[in-house]
Amino acid sequence: MTQLEQYKKAYATLVGMVDRTISALETTPPEKMTPALTANRLKMALGEAEEIFLAEDPEDI
């Protein structure tokens, strides 16, 4: 996987999870979608994107 492909995959993962979190904020009653839950979802999105980016070093391929 090239570095550009890694960036694209990480970005797509991040955008997808942020989009799902925003949709959940719009459709979930406020008492069920707390700031802590929202923050956790966004942290998970960042973590997944980071894992994808760091999973392979394009220089090793």
Side-chain angles (χ1 to χ4, degrees):
M1 181 181 302
T2 67
Q3 189 172 19
L4 179 59
E5 290 169 332
Q6 276 183 286
Y7 281 128
K8 287 181 179 182
K9 187 174 180 180
Y11 179 77
T13 298
L14 181 59
V15 168
M17 290 190 72
V18 168
D19 183 56
R20 286 191 296 279
T21 301
I22 290 169
S23 294
L25 283 168
E26 293 173 337
T27 60
T28 305
E31 63 275 4
K32 291 189 178 184
M33 194 62 157
T34 65
L37 179 59
T38 303
N40 188 47
R41 286 178 173 229
L42 295 173
K43 284 180 190 177
M44 285 176 29
L46 288 172
E48 283 191 34
E50 182 180 35
E51 283 179 27
I52 290 168
F53 183 72
L54 297 176
E56 293 183 43
D57 184 355
E59 301 299 319
D60 293 340
I61 299 174

